[in-house]
């Protein structure tokens, strides 16, 4: 029987524009299929983990390399996912390798530079069963410390070493130096048991007699018998628990292994914690919520996408839960997308009470291994059946099989958009394409929908359901302004707080109520400035001032991480008269203690305080349990959090949001102020919001005070129609980047000229952005605005062709990078 010569087109996890073709060794013909991971050679001496896109018999016109190894028995990437990757690459004008890198958990990827080390915790026993080659690798590592895959291949004189390395990792003999390049290993727990040779009490007495002189070994054995309840209903004993309870070392445990008194075994466990809390019945909906639910379902009969516009505190989450149940009862999965991990933390606590372990969570704070476990469970529901997957934007990449509903909560949030690196996708828009593949429904929810989303709803492209009353009949908060300019004239400013805000805070604290303060800037002070000459300490690599962080006693750049000790004198004129200008969350926290006393418990929630895995959860939990009196935060505190004892919200400086060079600035300012205002008075009592500003008569602030979304929407739509912005036009922003300023200037000018040949005045720029230089790289922007009814495909193809042409015309421009952002937010 003649053997077929098969080829595969594979996606490699690199920023390269094409698929790469490899020949399949005859013995692997039966194992290649789309979605399976393979090891392939790339370049001279590199190996990478690729994903098969297609299998075919078309002989290329060039000599192909052989694929090296197949990692999976079944595809770990589905056909739906592969098509979604292709759509993202095309729509967002990036390479499909970029999409693969973003989509797959890092533990799914291996590379030839991977450094292999011996696992310090590995203990060899009879069950290890190493082969000759495995022993050779182990011995070589014990002598040399680290080896890469090429060195291992040389030592054992084999070309393909992946199977052996994978087995050694699975057996726990070796580990990889970089977790990002590690093969996924199931988490295992070590347990201890009494030796099979000890079956009777008499034998146990003999053992104790034999350990007379080994007092610590006797103690450990006695502790084991107590923990295992050896003479009653036996329970398993973890090795870690035995060591902790006995207070003895693992060396004592090992000595009992050596004497064949105790044995050790391993059990594979999941990294995802089981829910052991109380389960609750799903709450009965109010009449208003039932009406909204019926309207949503009626809308889905006509259109697959529906916008739920519900004011803050209207009970949208309860509507989501009841809607989810209807899809779950049909055996379908629900994807619930949230913009922030902070939100995910609070919602998951609420939903776990309804769904227990049948809800899975997927976001960037999970370790690579935890993300793999969720991935595998979604791919193979025999491992764990999840009815609901709740996550941040990367959850759209999971390998769904029976997706029935996608809920995008707080759909207006810019956090759904990935800014760097490519793919610069928007999870809200991507979820619509994902839903189309499954013929599933999409519910977009927000109290302050994005202008484009509301426009789509008003134009009839989406369904529209509105909830205009707060849950339980609670009134919307009373919103008042504190005029900073007037307060300064009357000497009624106490540091960064107006007398009005300070007195209202004191009243709330006397009543045992909680407060949220919002300032969209972290750190202590945005900049230091010389009062004599105006000199400001700047970053050496970026065109930004350094932000002072009092906690670390450093001036820091929020773009590149450059730090500097605070100067004692001016770097220009030598004056020692230097003052701090502006304020961030750190300074607010400090000044609150001065004005309100040390007994008031204050906590910050910003990027600096939430870097660790469980930081969000701990802060939110403490605030819910009323261990914190005042929560000071950046945008994180504005996003859908639900606290029943918050009576006051303060916006410390609204002007920072209003006067920002972006066509969306007013929309954003309205959304942020309205959202943070919605945190006040959510449990029967009406809350209060105080906005500190120099411009209390600004039309956006007036719309926030009147809770007039419709007025804001109408005015913004009028402006955007006049000045050709979304939703009437589409935008692609190109950033020309290079270390040499002159090269950036020349290249961006040539590029703009080439684009204008066909696109004319639709091309704006080139111009430097708000920060011309970041990490010693200059950035100049070219913006393309084109009509909504124009062919996006033709426009994008033309742009890509001109970028390629520019690099061919002038060799100097080959080193120029062009960052492409489709639908920037």
């Amino acid at each position: 029987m003649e053997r077929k010569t098969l080829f595969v087109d594979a996606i490699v996890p690199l920023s390269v524009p094409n698929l790469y073709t490899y020949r399949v060794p005859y013995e692997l013909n039966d194992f290649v299929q789309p979605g399976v991971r393979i090891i392939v050679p790339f370049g001279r001496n590199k190996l990478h983990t690729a994903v098969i896109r297609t299998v075919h018999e078309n002989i290329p016109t060039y000599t192909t390399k052989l694929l090296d190894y197949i990692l999976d028995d079944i595809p770990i990437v589905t056909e739906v996912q592969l098509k979604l990757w292709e759509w993202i690459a095309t729509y967002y004008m990036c390479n499909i390798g970029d999409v693969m890198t973003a989509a797959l958990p890092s533990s799914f990827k291996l590379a030839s530079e991977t450094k292999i080390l011996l696992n310090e915790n590995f203990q060899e026993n009879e069950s290890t069963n190493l082969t000759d080659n495995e022993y050779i690798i182990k011995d070589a590592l014990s002598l040399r410390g680290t080896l890469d895959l090429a060195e291992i291949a040389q030592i054992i004189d084999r070309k393909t070493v992946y199977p052996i390395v994978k087995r050694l990792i699975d057996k726990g003999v070796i580990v990889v130096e970089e977790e990002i390049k590690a093969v996924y290993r199931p988490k295992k727990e070590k347990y201890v048991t009494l030796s099979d040779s000890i079956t009777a009490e008499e034998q146990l007495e003999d053992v104790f007699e034999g350990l007379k002189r080994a007092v610590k070994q006797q103690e450990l054995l006695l502790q084991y018998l107590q923990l295992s309840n050896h003479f009653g209903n036996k329970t398993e004993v973890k090795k870690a628990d035995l060591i902790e309870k006995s207070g003895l070392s693992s060396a004592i445990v090992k000595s009992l292994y050596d004497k064949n008194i105790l044995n050790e075994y391993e059990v594979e466990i999941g990294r995802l914690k089981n829910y052991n809390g109380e389960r609750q019945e799903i709450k009965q909906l109010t009449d208003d919520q039932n009406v909204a639910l019926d309207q949503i379902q009626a809308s889905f009969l006509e259109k697959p996408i529906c916008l739920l516009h519900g004011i803050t505190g209207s009970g949208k989450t309860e509507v989501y839960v009841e809607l989810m149940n209807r899809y779950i009862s049909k055996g379908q999965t629900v994807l619930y997308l949230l913009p922030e991990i902070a939100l995910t933390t609070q919602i998951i606590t609420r939903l776990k009470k309804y769904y227990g372990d049948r809800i899975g969570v997927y976001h960037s704070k999970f370790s690579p291994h935890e993300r793999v476990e969720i991935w595998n469970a979604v791919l193979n529901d025999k491992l764990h059946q999840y009815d609901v997957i709740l996550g941040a934007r990367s959850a759209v990449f999971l390998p769904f099989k029976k997706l029935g509903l996608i809920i995008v909560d707080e759909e207006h949030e810019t956090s759904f958009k990935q800014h760097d690196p490519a793919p610069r996708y928007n999870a809200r828009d991507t979820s619509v394409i994902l839903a189309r593949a499954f013929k599933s429904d999409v519910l977009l929810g927000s109290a302050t929908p994005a202008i484009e989303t509301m426009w789509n709803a008003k134009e009839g492209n989406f369904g529209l359901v509105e909830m205009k009353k707060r849950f339980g009949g609670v009134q919307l908060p009373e919103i008042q302004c504190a005029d900073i300019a007037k307060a300064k004239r009357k000497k009624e400013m106490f540091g960064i707080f107006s007398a009005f805000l300070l007195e209202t805070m004191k009243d709330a604290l006397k009543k045992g109520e909680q407060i949220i303060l919002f300032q969209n800037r972290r750190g202590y002070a945005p900049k230091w400035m010389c009062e004599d000459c105006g000199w400001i300490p700047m970053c050496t690599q970026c065109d930004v001032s350094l932000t002072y962080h009092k906690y670390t006693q450093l001036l820091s750049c929020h773009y590149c991480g450059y730090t500097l000790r605070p100067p004692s004198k001016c770097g220009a004129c030598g004056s020692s008269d230097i003052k701090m200008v502006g304020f961030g969350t750190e300074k607010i926290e400090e000044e609150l203690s001065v004005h309100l006393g040390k007994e008031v418990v204050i906590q910050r929630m910003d990027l600096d305080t939430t870097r660790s895995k469980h930081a969000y959860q701990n802060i939110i939990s403490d605030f819910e349990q009323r261990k914190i009196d005042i929560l000071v935060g950046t945008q994180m505190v504005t996003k859908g959090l639900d606290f029943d004892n918050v009576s006051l919200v303060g916006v410390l400086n609204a002007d920072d949001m209003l006067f920002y060079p972006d066509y969306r600035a007013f929309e954003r300012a309205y959304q942020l102020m309205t959202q943070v205002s919605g945190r006040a008075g959510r449990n029967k009592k009406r809350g209060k919001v105080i906005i500190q500003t120099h411009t209390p008569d600004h039309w956006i602030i007036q719309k926030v005070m009147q809770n007039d979304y419709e007025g804001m929407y109408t005015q913004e739509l009028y402006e955007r129609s006049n000045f050709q912005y979304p939703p009437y036009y589409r935008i692609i922003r190109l950033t020309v980047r290079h270390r040499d300023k002159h090269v950036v200037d020349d290249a961006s000018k040539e590029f703009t000229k080439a684009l204008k040949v066909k696109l004319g005045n639709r091309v704006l720029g080139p111009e430097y952005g708000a920060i011309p230089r970041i990490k010693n790289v200059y950035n100049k922007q070219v913006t393309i605005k084109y009509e909504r009814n124009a062919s996006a495909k033709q426009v994008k193809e033309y742009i890509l062709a001109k970028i390629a042409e520019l690099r061919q015309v002038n060799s100097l421009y080959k080193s120029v990078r062009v960052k492409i952002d489709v639908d920037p937010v």
Side-chain angles (χ1 to χ4, degrees), residues 171-305:
K171 290 175 182 178
V173 180
I174 61 173
V175 293
V176 291
E177 190 174 57
E178 296 172 62
E179 186 178 41
I180 199 166
K181 294 175 182 175
V183 169
Y184 168 67
R185 297 188 306 280
K187 188 175 182 181
K188 294 180 179 179
E189 190 83 64
K190 289 182 178 178
Y191 284 81
V192 173
T193 184
L194 202 60
S195 171
D196 294 338
S197 61
I198 305 170
T199 55
E201 271 189 58
E202 294 79 16
Q203 289 173 299
L204 200 53
E205 287 173 12
D206 292 341
V207 168
F208 273 104
E209 186 66 29
L211 294 174
K212 262 186 178 179
R213 294 184 181 180
V215 179
K216 288 186 177 179
Q217 292 177 27
Q218 265 193 348
E219 281 178 30
L220 192 99
L221 182 56
L222 192 60
Q223 185 69 63
Y224 166 77
L225 294 172
Q226 288 172 352
L227 287 174
S228 66
N229 193 17
H230 183 73
F231 301 106
N233 296 319
K234 283 190 181 180
T235 57
E236 294 181 314
V237 178
K238 290 180 185 177
K239 181 181 176 181
D241 291 346
L242 178 60
I243 290 169
E244 185 186 343
K245 297 282 185 186
S246 66
L248 299 168
S249 70
S250 58
I252 307 296
V253 182
K254 187 176 183 304
S255 61
L256 290 177
Y257 293 163
D258 294 341
K259 291 178 180 177
N260 199 27
I261 296 169
L262 292 181
N263 286 334
E264 182 183 289
Y265 63 98
E266 287 185 328
V267 175
E268 187 176 319
I269 60 168
R271 289 180 171 77
L272 310 175
K273 293 179 182 176
N274 292 329
Y275 179 73
N276 300 313
E278 273 185 47
R279 295 287 291 274
Q280 289 181 1
E281 291 295 317
I282 289 166
K283 294 176 184 176
Q284 291 291 313
L285 298 186
T286 63
D287 291 344
D288 289 336
Q289 288 172 328
N290 271 314
V291 168
L293 182 63
D294 291 342
Q295 289 177 343
I296 291 166
Q297 293 208 286
S299 172
F300 282 151
L301 294 174
E302 296 178 21
K303 301 179 182 77
I305 307 166

Side-chain angles (χ1 to χ4, degrees), residues 473-754:
V474 179
Q475 285 182 288
L476 283 164
E478 175 191 2
I479 303 177
Q480 295 175 285
C481 268
D483 187 334
I484 297 174
K486 190 185 289 185
K488 281 180 179 174
R489 285 198 302 274
K490 293 185 174 183
K491 300 193 180 337
E492 291 178 351
M493 285 298 292
F494 296 86
I496 55 183
F497 304 105
S498 62
F500 178 38
L501 177 57
L502 209 51
E503 286 307 311
T504 313
M505 282 197 288
K506 287 176 181 175
D507 288 345
L509 291 170
K510 277 180 193 171
K511 295 173 188 172
E513 296 164 345
Q514 291 170 292
I515 300 163
I516 290 176
L517 296 179
F518 168 60
Q519 167 66 357
N520 207 18
R521 190 186 292 276
R522 63 188 172 99
Y524 189 84
K527 57 189 174 188
W528 284 32
M529 187 173 74
C530 173
E531 291 202 276
D532 290 345
C533 72
W535 172 81
I536 295 169
M538 301 289 286
C539 176
T540 58
Q541 301 179 91
C542 312
D543 290 334
V544 289
S545 59
L546 297 172
T547 301
Y548 178 55
H549 290 256
K550 191 169 185 180
Y551 177 73
T552 57
Q553 291 289 313
L554 289 171
L555 289 166
S556 163
C557 174
H558 289 175
Y559 288 87
C560 70
Y562 170 78
T563 57
L564 184 73
R565 289 280 174 197
S568 56
K569 59 183 181 179
C570 173
C573 70
S575 168
S576 57
D577 200 359
I578 299 174
K579 68 171 183 178
M580 285 181 251
V581 180
F583 60 92
T585 50
E586 204 177 336
K587 188 173 184 183
I588 296 167
E589 183 183 24
E590 181 182 274
E591 288 209 9
L592 282 170
S593 297
V594 173
H595 296 302
L596 301 175
K598 298 280 186 186
E599 66 278 4
V600 176
V601 182
I602 302 153
Q603 175 66 56
R604 274 187 296 132
M605 190 160 83
D606 55 25
L607 190 62
D608 297 322
T609 62
T610 56
R611 292 185 190 277
S612 65
K613 181 175 178 178
H614 300 294
Y616 287 105
Q617 191 170 341
N618 295 337
I619 293 171
I620 289 166
S621 177
D622 287 349
F623 197 61
E624 281 179 326
Q625 293 168 27
R626 305 185 186 182
K627 295 178 184 176
I628 298 168
D629 298 312
I630 304 177
L631 184 63
V632 180
T634 53
Q635 288 190 38
M636 293 176 188
V637 300
T638 71
K639 300 176 181 179
L641 297 169
D642 189 0
F643 304 112
D644 60 11
N645 191 43
V646 174
S647 67
L648 174 66
V649 167
V651 178
L652 274 297
N653 191 346
D655 304 326
D656 279 353
M657 294 177 275
L658 289 170
F659 304 110
Y660 190 77
D662 190 311
Y663 77 94
R664 295 182 191 271
F666 290 166
E667 176 193 3
R668 292 263 169 74
Y670 179 89
Q671 287 167 341
L672 280 169
M673 284 188 273
T674 301
Q675 288 285 344
V676 76
S677 299
R679 304 313 112 213
R682 295 172 76 94
N683 188 21
K684 297 179 183 176
K685 186 181 174 184
R686 190 183 189 192
K688 182 176 278 190
V689 179
I690 296 174
I691 299 172
Q692 292 192 160
T693 175
H694 289 87
T695 55
D697 296 325
H698 193 287
W699 74 271
I700 279 290
I701 289 178
Q702 291 300 310
K703 295 296 180 193
V704 172
M705 292 174 73
Q706 296 154 17
N707 193 43
D708 185 9
Y709 173 85
E710 199 63 39
M712 183 278 297
Y713 168 76
T714 305
Q715 177 65 28
E716 275 293 287
L717 215 56
Y718 173 75
E719 296 286 342
R720 295 194 188 183
S721 174
N722 283 344
F723 295 102
Q724 300 178 342
Y725 279 107
Y728 301 103
Y729 277 66
R730 297 184 187 277
I731 292 180
I732 299 173
R733 183 169 294 145
L734 310 168
T735 306
V736 181
R737 311 182 71 228
H738 198 274
R739 286 183 171 272
D740 189 322
K741 187 174 183 289
H742 300 297
V743 172
V744 169
D745 288 339
D746 293 344
S748 57
K749 197 183 295 178
E750 289 296 318
F751 186 42
T752 304
K753 194 192 299 179

